[in-house]
Amino acid sequence: MPLAAWPVSPAVVVLGGIQLLGLVAAALARLAQGTRYELACQWGCVAALGLVGGLVGYSIQFGPHAAATSAVTLLMMTMIAVIDVRQRC
């Protein structure tokens, strides 16, 4: 399918990809707890939080739905990084 036939702007696709990257970074930071990769994954998550946080303001030009989606992604990333769901005995 040629690029001109896409019903969605390529910029919106890039925004979605960055948001997906942010969610993956948050999940990896959570999964790397207690491993030798923990610090690197935490720094990656912090960088991704900053990137997605910046997208919230930038994406308002694409419409309120794009900005709201970025804000919800930022919220989900923060919750993944903060909430501890391990079983307590």
Side-chain angles (χ1 to χ4, degrees):
M1 178 183 300
L3 187 60
W6 277 29
V8 179
S9 167
V12 174
V13 174
V14 170
L15 289 175
I18 292 172
Q19 291 174 11
L20 182 63
L21 176 75
L23 290 171
V24 168
L28 286 176
R30 176 58 68 188
L31 292 173
Q33 262 184 323
T35 68
R36 63 183 178 148
Y37 303 108
E38 181 175 9
L39 185 62
C41 289
Q42 286 176 346
W43 277 110
C45 182
V46 167
L49 281 167
L51 185 63
V52 174
L55 281 179
V56 173
Y58 176 75
S59 62
I60 194 81
Q61 67 183 336
F62 297 108
H65 297 297
T69 303
S70 295
V72 168
T73 302
L74 185 63
L75 171 77
M76 289 172 49
M77 289 174 61
T78 304
M79 297 308 256
I80 290 170
V82 172
I83 293 178
D84 188 11
V85 293
R86 291 180 288 172
Q87 294 290 329
R88 304 272 180 192
C89 293

